[in-house]
């Protein structure tokens, strides 16, 4: 067994070398200020804070080594990390573990450790404390917070890497008896860290776009169920258990930043959307994030896990079995089905039918347990009563009826109210559709009143977050009318029309309908003439439409290439990645490669590879590889623009995907005999 894996008692047992090292280091730098733990300064005394010199003992080499090893062993046991920082975490842990042989040799040195060596070991331990805090955050922190703050977290990783390099650079290898092998291993690690200082791991494009859409306060697509479900899956927040854990993690963020901070409010909004999609009741996340209110009321009584509904985590009154074999409270699973879900909330499998079978055996067990323990189930809070439902139904019916009023003012107000209600409460979209709102709203799109057009198209956008409503809207022949508003409406109506087409194009059949209705040329026109928001709406809709192979040729014929080129050149728009993502789809089509693969475009790609952000470089390298795989002349052109040395750099320091693309390009150059 390695000495570094011994217990603290075993490692501190007196040995000849240990006693000699302790005697040598004892008393060094007693007049210096005590070295503190950067992870937690709350234990500093008043004398420390005002600069009074104390008689605290100087750090001891044996203790510093043991404490550093303990920190490494701690982070090695952390296990899984949040998906958005996983690669950076595992890389940092791997670097720290690679230093274990160094500490192994220092512990059993027969020579003295000089004062500068003690200082370096102390600095190294401080870096490990920083690393521990960072890794612990990535292990148990809020997944939504870490996704939103991915860039800031990467800056923290870079800072730890830099401090680690500095501490290792200061180790006096010439004055301590460390083997050549270990020294070379440490120097190699420092070299790799230095070389990778510009490295920046990024989220995939889909996650970044979805997070931006769901967290936006102004984007009408922020409640699209398909996007919310996809984002929840990416963040591993697609089960009731994980959503409860995320609620606990969120409370910790709120304690640090305050419940009313903009960041916390943003996370709460996203978390609540996840809960709505997965059938959980949305309550105050700060009231009791650790466990449901029902469990608090039970005091010390332990409630069997089988008695709790997987959705509400409350004791079931009327347990029922669904097609997947799972048991739920009847009321909560019925709400799940009423929200147009056809999957099991627990297993996520698609259900063959929506029938509910009473679980009499479990209900009898719950009844016996309640009587034995004198347990009373409190009244369910937050569920709509029949009276509340009828009032809501009455309001919805009234608004839909007013859409057909003979008074323009009444129609305008009704369209606006439906727009606002369907945004604030996405579940109401199903009820509006069931009451006939969609045909009436489609009819209003043809009105010459610009405000009615704006409210109607935005209301349809909000209703379209439900997949069933997407089909209903398309069946009402709404797509050609929405495209007409996109061409001729006022700018806000045009922007929301583009957003509506993006939402509708989530269904493959609608991609074809939009294209056959000449929606692509109208979107390209908005891409050329629109505001920044309009351009973003247009490019995201075009990206979705170009997932269809035939639509790629239609987009090129509509003149999509010139406005996309302008997005690449205008850095202020911050839409380089969006444009490159569309280009990456277009170059997979023969017509796209012919249209795009001009000399000027290759020069632009190389310029982005040279000067762009890590994500820019990743996208540009992907486009260049796709182009060059079909035409070796593009490789030669890129080489003439000076791409080679930058590809070498990206292959070592870029994002994961960028490294793969850069290596693919270098390999292509090699096999094509185009290496300089």
């Amino acid at each position: 067994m390695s000495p570094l894996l011994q217990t603290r008692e075993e490692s501190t047992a007196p040995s000849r070398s240990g006693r000699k090292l302790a005697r040598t280091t004892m008393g060094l730098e007693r007049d210096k200020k005590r070295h503190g733990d950067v992870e937690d300064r709350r234990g500093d005394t008043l004398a420390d804070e005002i600069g009074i010199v104390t008689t605290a003992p100087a750090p001891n080499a044996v203790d510093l080594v043991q404490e550093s090893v303990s920190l490494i062993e701690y982070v090695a046991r952390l296990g899984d990390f949040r998906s958005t920082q996983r690669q950076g975490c595992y890389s940092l842990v791997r670097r720290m573990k690679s230093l274990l042989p160094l500490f192994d040799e220092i512990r059993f040195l027969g020579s003295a450790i000089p004062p500068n060596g003690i200082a370096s070991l102390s600095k190294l331990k401080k870096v490990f404390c920083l690393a521990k805090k960072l890794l612990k955050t990535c292990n148990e922190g809020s997944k939504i917070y870490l996704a939103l703050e991915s860039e800031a977290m990467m800056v923290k990783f870079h800072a730890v890497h830099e401090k680690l390099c500095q501490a290792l650079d200061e180790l006096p290898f010439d004055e301590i008896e460390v083997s050549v092998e270990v020294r070379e291993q440490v120097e190699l690690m420092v070299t790799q860290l230095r070389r990778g200082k510009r490295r920046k791991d990024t989220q995939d494009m889909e996650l970044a776009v979805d997070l931006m859409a769901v967290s936006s306060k102004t984007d009408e697509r922020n409640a699209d169920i398909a996007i919310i479900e996809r984002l929840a899956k990416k963040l591993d927040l697609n089960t009731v258990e994980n959503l409860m854990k995320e609620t606990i993690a969120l409370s910790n963020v709120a304690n640090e930043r305050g419940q009313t901070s903009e960041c916390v409010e943003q996370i709460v909004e996203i978390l609540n959307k996840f809960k709505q999609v997965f059938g959980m009741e949305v309550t105050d996340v700060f009231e009791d994030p650790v466990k449901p209110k029902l469990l608090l009321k039970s005091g010390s009584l332990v409630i069997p896990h089988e008695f709790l509904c997987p959705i509400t985590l409350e004791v079931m009154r009327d347990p029922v079995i669904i097609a997947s074999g799972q048991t739920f409270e009847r009321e909560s699973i019925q709400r799940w089905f009423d929200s147009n879900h056809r999957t099991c909330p627990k297993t996520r499998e698609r259900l063959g039918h929506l029938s509910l079978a009473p679980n009499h055996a479990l209900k009898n067990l719950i009844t016996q347990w309640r009587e034995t323990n004198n347990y009373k189930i409190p009244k369910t809070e937050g569920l709509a009563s029949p009276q509340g439902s009828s009032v809501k139904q009455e309001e919805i019916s009234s608004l839909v009826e007013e859409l057909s009023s003979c008074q323009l003012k009444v129609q305008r107000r009704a369209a606006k109210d439906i727009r606002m209600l369907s945004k604030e409460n996405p579940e109401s979209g199903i009820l509006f559709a069931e009451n006939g709102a969609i045909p009436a709203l489609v009819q209003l799109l043809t009105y010459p009143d610009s405000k009615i057009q704006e409210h109607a198209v935005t209301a349809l956008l909000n209703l379209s977050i439900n997949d069933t409503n997407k089909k209903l809207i398309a069946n009402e022949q709404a797509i050609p009318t929405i495209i007409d508003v996109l061409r001729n409406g006022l700018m806000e109506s045009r922007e929301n029309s583009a957003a509506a087409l993006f939402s509708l194009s989530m269904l493959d059949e609608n991609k074809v309908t939009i294209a056959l209705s000449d929606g692509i040329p109208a979107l390209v026109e908005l891409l050329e003439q629109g505001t920044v928001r309009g351009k973003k709406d247009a490019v995201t809709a075009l990206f979705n439409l170009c997932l269809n192979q035939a639509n790629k040729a239609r987009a090129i014929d509509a003149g999509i290439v010139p406005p996309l080129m302008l997005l690449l050149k205008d850095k202020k728009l911050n839409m380089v990645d969006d444009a490159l993502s569309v280009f990456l789809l277009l170059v997979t089509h023969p017509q796209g490669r012919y249209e795009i693969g001009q000399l000027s475009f290759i020069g632009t790609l190389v310029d982005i590879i040279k000067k762009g952000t890590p994500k820019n470089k990743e996208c540009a390298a992907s486009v260049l590889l796709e182009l060059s795989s079909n035409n070796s002349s593009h490789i030669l052109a890129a080489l003439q623009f000076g791409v080679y040395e930058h590809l070498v750099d990206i292959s070592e320091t870029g994002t994961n995907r960028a490294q793969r693309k850069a290596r693919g390009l270098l390999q292509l150059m090699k096999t094509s005999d185009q290496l300089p």
Side-chain angles (χ1 to χ4, degrees):
M1 180 172 65
S2 169
L4 296 178
L5 300 180
Q6 297 172 357
T7 63
R8 184 172 183 85
E9 288 77 14
E10 291 172 331
S11 65
T12 55
S15 66
R16 185 172 62 181
S17 58
R19 288 193 299 270
K20 182 174 181 180
L21 187 58
R23 285 197 303 270
T24 305
T25 56
M26 189 171 295
L28 289 175
E29 296 183 314
R30 287 184 181 276
D31 57 336
K32 291 187 177 181
K33 186 177 180 180
R34 179 182 178 184
H35 291 274
D37 188 338
V38 295
E39 183 185 14
D40 190 350
R41 299 292 295 177
R42 289 175 294 179
D44 290 348
T45 62
L46 179 61
D48 291 327
E49 294 176 356
I50 63 178
I52 297 176
V53 178
T54 68
T55 59
N60 177 286
V62 174
D63 289 340
L64 287 172
V65 167
Q66 179 57 40
E67 289 166 5
S68 296
V69 170
S70 296
L71 287 167
I72 294 173
E73 292 174 343
Y74 177 87
V75 301
R77 292 193 300 268
L78 283 177
D80 196 16
F81 296 99
R82 302 315 191 212
S83 58
T84 44
Q85 283 79 32
R86 187 168 293 148
Q87 182 184 354
C89 290
Y90 283 132
S91 176
L92 179 55
V93 171
R94 189 170 61 251
R95 306 285 189 199
M96 293 173 66
K97 288 169 68 176
S98 70
L99 294 174
L100 286 174
L102 171 66
F103 292 116
D104 203 348
E105 292 200 0
I106 291 177
R107 175 183 289 165
F108 294 102
L109 282 176
S111 60
I113 301 295
N116 56 339
I118 298 292
S120 297
L121 289 174
S122 180
K123 182 178 288 188
L124 198 54
K125 193 204 83 170
K126 291 182 180 181
V127 177
F128 289 162
C129 289
L130 280 176
K132 173 188 172 184
K133 184 176 183 179
L134 181 59
L135 292 167
K136 192 174 179 183
T137 298
C138 296
N139 174 255
E140 57 188 36
S142 162
K143 296 176 180 179
I144 301 174
Y145 171 78
L146 290 171
L148 290 169
E149 297 291 318
S150 59
E151 294 297 319
M153 293 300 294
M154 194 52 59
V155 170
K156 293 182 180 181
F157 274 100
H158 289 167
V160 170
H161 290 167
E162 186 61 34
K163 291 178 183 295
L164 184 57
C165 288
Q166 292 173 359
L168 292 173
D169 281 340
E170 294 175 9
L171 273 175
F173 288 108
D174 294 333
E175 302 178 43
I176 58 179
E177 297 177 2
V178 174
S179 67
V180 175
E181 180 185 355
V182 169
R183 178 172 180 174
E184 288 178 348
Q185 184 178 347
V186 173
E187 290 174 346
L188 176 62
M189 190 193 80
V190 172
T191 301
Q192 291 172 339
L193 283 174
R194 296 287 190 203
R195 188 165 45 191
K197 63 182 179 181
R198 295 188 301 276
R199 179 170 182 162
K200 198 168 191 178
D201 296 311
T202 59
Q203 301 170 337
D204 58 79
M205 180 69 176
E206 190 177 62
L207 186 145
V209 171
D210 288 350
L211 189 63
M212 181 173 61
V214 172
S215 61
S216 172
K217 292 182 180 295
T218 58
D219 194 330
E220 300 289 348
R221 295 163 294 181
N222 60 13
D224 191 301
I225 292 177
I227 296 178
I228 294 172
E229 286 187 337
R230 190 167 61 208
L231 181 60
K233 186 176 181 180
K234 287 265 188 183
L235 297 178
D236 196 23
L237 291 173
N238 54 344
T239 66
V240 173
E241 181 182 1
N242 286 345
L243 285 169
M244 293 298 291
K245 290 179 180 178
E246 177 68 10
T247 304
I248 297 171
L250 171 57
S251 67
N252 295 330
V253 177
N255 289 337
E256 294 178 5
R257 292 175 169 258
Q259 294 183 11
T260 59
S261 70
E262 183 178 351
C263 174
V264 172
E265 290 179 350
Q266 188 178 19
I267 299 173
V268 170
E269 288 179 8
I270 297 174
L271 179 60
N272 285 340
K273 289 176 183 178
F274 289 167
K275 288 183 176 181
Q276 286 177 332
V277 166
F278 294 106
M280 291 180 65
E281 183 182 356
V282 176
T283 57
D284 185 354
V285 297
F286 302 118
E287 185 172 333
D288 189 348
V290 180
K291 48 188 175 180
K293 289 177 282 185
L294 199 71
L295 299 185
L296 283 179
K297 294 173 183 177
S298 66
S300 59
L301 182 62
V302 177
I303 302 176
H305 178 74
E306 296 79 7
F307 294 177
L308 302 177
C309 172
I311 293 177
T312 63
L313 295 183
E314 295 183 348
V315 176
M316 289 181 277
R317 296 178 175 84
D318 188 7
V320 293
I321 305 172
I322 64 173
S324 65
Q326 302 294 326
T327 297
F328 298 87
E329 172 64 34
R330 181 186 294 274
E331 195 169 11
S332 62
I333 193 62
Q334 191 60 58
R335 282 191 296 142
W336 171 263
F337 290 156
D338 290 344
S339 299
N340 204 40
H341 291 97
R342 296 297 179 267
T343 57
C344 172
K346 191 170 183 179
T347 65
R348 310 305 299 162
E349 66 180 279
R350 190 160 189 84
L351 301 174
H353 60 81
L354 303 184
S355 301
L356 305 178
N359 192 334
H360 295 298
L362 181 60
K363 186 173 183 179
N364 290 336
L365 287 174
I366 293 175
T367 301
Q368 293 173 13
W369 176 83
R370 287 173 52 197
E371 291 174 353
T372 301
N373 294 280
N374 194 27
Y375 181 86
K376 295 181 180 180
I377 299 180
K379 293 182 179 180
T380 305
E381 301 174 11
L383 296 178
S385 64
Q387 182 180 0
S389 299
S390 64
V391 172
K392 186 176 182 181
Q393 180 64 48
E394 183 180 327
E395 180 184 6
I396 287 174
S397 300
S398 175
L399 286 172
V400 173
E401 186 177 340
E402 288 176 355
L403 290 176
S404 302
S405 170
C406 58
Q407 299 181 38
L408 197 65
K409 183 178 180 181
V410 174
Q411 290 177 302
R412 188 186 300 126
R413 185 182 66 245
K416 181 180 180 181
D417 288 347
I418 292 175
R419 169 185 178 176
M420 300 308 296
L421 284 173
S422 58
K423 179 181 180 181
E424 294 169 359
N425 184 10
E427 292 182 358
S428 67
I430 298 171
L431 296 174
F432 277 118
E434 289 176 350
N435 283 268
I438 290 175
L441 288 169
V442 173
Q443 182 65 33
L444 292 181
L445 290 178
T446 62
Y447 279 37
D449 185 281
S450 60
K451 271 298 175 185
I452 281 187
Q453 270 192 358
E454 178 191 326
H455 294 322
V457 77
T458 310
L460 286 170
L461 164 61
N462 295 339
L463 296 181
S464 72
I465 66 173
N466 178 273
D467 283 349
T468 300
N469 285 354
K470 286 180 173 69
K471 295 178 182 178
L472 292 174
I473 292 170
N475 291 340
E476 288 295 329
Q477 306 301 312
I479 288 176
T481 313
I482 292 173
I483 292 172
D484 188 61
V485 176
L486 173 61
R487 286 199 189 96
N488 305 311
L490 297 180
M491 185 52 68
E492 186 169 353
S493 298
R494 295 178 67 190
E495 291 169 351
N496 290 344
S497 297
L501 292 178
F502 166 77
S503 177
L504 292 170
S505 67
M506 289 290 183
L507 300 183
D508 289 339
E509 58 266 32
N510 287 347
K511 288 182 175 69
V512 177
T513 304
I514 292 169
L516 295 178
S517 304
D518 289 332
I520 290 177
L523 288 166
V524 170
E525 185 178 338
L526 182 63
L527 189 63
E528 291 177 313
Q529 304 172 359
T531 62
V532 174
R533 181 188 170 188
K535 292 179 187 294
K536 286 185 177 294
D537 288 327
V539 78
T540 52
L542 287 165
F543 174 85
N544 229 24
L545 290 169
C546 287
L547 292 172
N548 178 288
Q549 184 72 358
N551 286 347
K552 296 172 185 176
R554 294 185 177 107
I556 293 166
D557 291 338
I560 191 175
V561 173
L564 284 178
M565 287 291 292
L566 292 176
L567 295 185
L568 292 183
K569 295 176 181 178
D570 192 346
K571 303 298 190 294
K572 294 180 181 179
L573 292 175
N574 194 28
M575 294 176 65
V576 173
D577 293 337
D578 303 85
L580 287 172
S581 296
V582 179
F583 274 128
L584 186 56
L585 292 177
L586 298 178
V587 295
T588 61
H589 191 282
Q591 187 178 346
R593 290 192 292 272
Y594 175 79
E595 186 81 17
I596 295 167
Q598 307 300 317
L599 195 63
S600 60
F601 181 68
I602 302 299
T604 301
L605 284 181
V606 173
D607 188 58
I608 294 171
I609 288 173
K610 290 179 180 179
K611 305 174 184 177
T613 66
K615 186 64 179 178
N616 292 164
K617 294 178 180 181
E618 174 187 308
C619 294
S622 300
V623 176
L624 182 58
L625 178 59
E626 186 65 36
L627 277 173
S628 303
S629 298
N630 291 275
N631 190 334
S632 60
S633 65
H634 294 136
I635 283 285
L636 182 58
L639 285 170
Q640 291 173 341
F641 282 112
V643 76
Y644 179 75
E645 61 180 291
H646 299 284
L647 288 177
V648 172
D649 182 60
I650 291 174
S651 71
E652 298 174 346
T653 65
T655 67
N656 273 349
R657 185 164 176 257
Q659 286 184 13
R660 293 196 302 271
K661 301 301 180 181
R663 289 167 187 160
L665 283 164
L666 293 171
Q667 182 63 29
L668 203 57
M669 292 176 183
K670 183 177 180 180
T671 56
S672 304
D673 297 325
Q674 299 290 356
L675 280 174

